[in-house]
Amino acid sequence: PITGNFSQHHGVDLAADLEDPVYSVLPGTVTSAGPRGGYGNTVQVYHPSIKRGTLYAHLNSIWVKKGAAVSKGQALGGAGTTGLSTGVHLH
């Protein structure tokens, strides 16, 4: 079990089953794909249409690489519980 002090965080946590596909919400470019501290395995996508990025965290697996162009609805990886996480979900 994971123990310790967990602070509130910004973002949305979505329930998922292990390896459920995680999809890009908008088209864009993968700016990072890999471990990121307490977020575990992550994919970050920059969306030029809104001039912002989206971070997909706690992934069990990553299916894209940095620099890849992704379309809206493209699978980025599988949901998981990596990093500081108390169960399978997408952050």
Side-chain angles (χ1 to χ4, degrees):
I2 296 175
T3 60
N5 250 342
F6 295 97
S7 62
Q8 275 292 50
H9 64 283
H10 298 285
V12 176
D13 289 335
L14 303 171
D17 290 323
L18 188 65
E19 283 297 320
D20 275 353
V22 172
Y23 303 102
S24 181
V25 296
L26 290 169
T29 302
V30 177
T31 56
S32 67
R36 189 179 217 172
Y39 287 117
N41 294 328
T42 67
V43 171
Q44 186 164 6
V45 177
Y46 176 75
H47 312 289
S49 63
I50 60 170
K51 297 181 181 168
R52 298 193 135 222
T54 304
L55 179 69
Y56 305 85
H58 304 299
L59 301 176
N60 189 61
S61 58
I62 296 173
W63 305 339
V64 294
K65 293 184 180 186
K66 182 179 178 180
V70 296
S71 56
K72 178 180 179 180
Q74 181 174 335
L76 305 173
T81 184
T82 59
L84 296 177
S85 171
T86 58
V88 177
H89 71 287
L90 171 66
H91 174 85

